[in-house]
Amino acid sequence: MDMQHLEGSIVALVTPFKEDGSVDFEALDRLIAFHLENGTDGILTLGTTGESATMTDEEDNSVCRFVVEHVAGRVPVIAGSGSNSTSTMLDKSLSYQRLGVDGLLLITPYYNKSNEEGIYRHFVTVADALDVPCLLYNIPGRCGCGISEANMERLAAHPRIMGVKEASGNVAFAARIAHLISDDFRMFSGEDGIVLPLMSLGASGAISVWANVQPALVSEMCHAYLAGDLVRAREIQIAGQPLVRALFSEVNPIPVKEALAQMGLIEAHYRMPLCPMENATRAALIAAMKEADILA
């Protein structure tokens, strides 16, 4: 699968659970079919939205294998293999590579954080050992550290680092690293509220939580922009703001799993410390979904 030319909407897929806490593979199959039927351009499994931080290695491998097998090459599959331990991130990356993913998402070393050189080596140690393309994941709000401009430039030169999921929420930072965008290094927006501002700087699309519930629309927005239809792309981005705000009204992926449950695609079960939505934010989410014509 061609990762170097990937563009459009890549869904940051949830991992559905049953009431007993086990992975709900029947629901996962429904989600995959839903995305393939609705124009999603790629699937990211085991990311933050997939609650991989609370899953066992066996569960991670089972979900990764299932997604690869059920997507069956129809769109690229990327697996989040990040860890604050470089050796763990390497082991996960090699496991998912063996399971047939098309690419990997590598995160900064949260909690222990490291210095500049350590963050650089964290990524390069893993990328050096792989045969598949890697995306960096810059989300300092989650990790307590980010990828600096200097490190981004060093890492962009690596032959297996193909781009970055830029989720700092800082358009000015995205602008400062936009000169790195090329045929060999791509940017994807990791913030649903500012996809078009980042695409205006050269981003190829989004790795999106929003796309879980409106995959066709998010894909249309990205491809409208890429095709030069800025009016339509802007219309979708602006109209989607109330829903995006509701999807992040509590810690991700709590609201998006509730939204998918309201749509009848999954049951809203979580791994602790995540728990069901508060009544007030649930009501606001349902109202936003009705406004977006997702619910009647």
Side-chain angles (χ1 to χ4, degrees):
M1 186 63 65
D2 183 7
M3 284 284 291
Q4 286 303 131
H5 297 95
L6 179 60
E7 59 185 16
S9 173
I10 298 97
V11 64
L13 195 68
V14 305
T15 303
F17 298 125
K18 298 179 181 178
E19 189 173 5
D20 65 6
S22 62
V23 176
D24 188 342
F25 286 101
E26 288 185 11
L28 184 56
D29 188 37
R30 285 196 298 274
L31 292 177
I32 292 168
F34 176 62
H35 285 285
L36 293 174
E37 290 165 5
N38 283 278
T40 289
D41 298 290
I43 292 176
L44 166 67
T45 186
L46 302 175
T48 306
T49 309
E51 293 177 82
S52 58
T54 56
M55 292 167 61
T56 67
D57 290 345
E58 182 179 355
E59 287 173 327
D60 285 339
N61 287 333
S62 295
V63 168
C64 183
R65 182 183 298 108
F66 187 92
V67 173
V68 168
E69 290 178 353
H70 285 247
V71 171
R74 286 171 284 183
V75 297
V77 173
I78 304 166
S81 56
S83 173
N84 64 327
S85 163
T86 307
S87 63
T88 299
M89 187 162 78
L90 176 58
D91 289 344
K92 285 177 172 286
S93 297
L94 291 170
S95 292
Y96 303 158
Q97 178 176 273
R98 286 191 292 269
L99 290 170
V101 298
D102 300 293
L104 293 159
L105 183 69
L106 311 179
I107 202 164
T108 48
Y110 50 86
Y111 188 68
N112 38 353
K113 296 167 69 171
S114 188
N115 59 15
E116 280 285 281
E117 183 62 20
I119 289 173
Y120 172 76
R121 294 185 188 186
H122 175 73
F123 289 116
V124 168
T125 297
V126 176
D128 279 347
L130 297 172
D131 298 318
V132 296
C134 305
L135 282 168
L136 309 173
Y137 188 7
N138 187 44
I139 184 166
R142 283 267 187 180
C143 294
C145 63
I147 306 171
S148 67
E149 295 170 54
N151 263 342
M152 198 75 75
E153 188 156 357
R154 296 171 75 192
L155 292 163
H158 194 286
R160 277 177 296 285
I161 294 176
M162 63 157 285
V164 59
K165 178 185 178 183
E166 171 45 41
S168 70
N170 186 340
V171 177
F173 176 79
R176 292 196 297 271
I177 64 170
H179 69 280
L180 299 172
I181 295 171
S182 68
D183 289 342
D184 299 318
F185 190 80
R186 293 182 170 241
M187 182 192 296
F188 292 90
S189 173
E191 288 279 345
D192 281 316
I194 54 171
V195 175
L196 293 195
L198 266 60
M199 292 189 76
S200 75
L201 296 168
S204 297
I207 298 178
S208 171
V209 174
W210 178 15
N212 276 279
V213 295
Q214 288 189 306
L217 192 66
V218 178
S219 181
E220 181 188 354
M221 177 182 71
C222 294
H223 285 285
Y225 190 93
L226 292 167
D229 188 352
L230 308 189
V231 172
R232 177 56 179 155
R234 185 168 58 244
E235 178 182 77
I236 295 170
Q237 177 80 92
I238 293 171
Q241 292 298 315
L243 178 61
V244 169
R245 194 160 52 247
L247 288 171
F248 291 94
S249 59
E250 293 193 26
V251 173
N252 180 50
I254 292 173
V256 72
K257 292 188 91 170
E258 177 63 34
L260 289 167
Q262 293 289 334
M263 295 166 67
L265 289 169
I266 68 169
E267 295 181 1
H269 300 304
Y270 309 87
R271 291 278 174 90
M272 288 287 286
L274 300 187
C275 59
M277 290 187 82
E278 299 286 343
N279 289 336
T281 45
R282 181 186 291 109
L285 172 65
I286 291 171
M289 293 176 72
K290 289 179 177 178
E291 182 182 344
D293 293 326
I294 299 169
L295 299 177

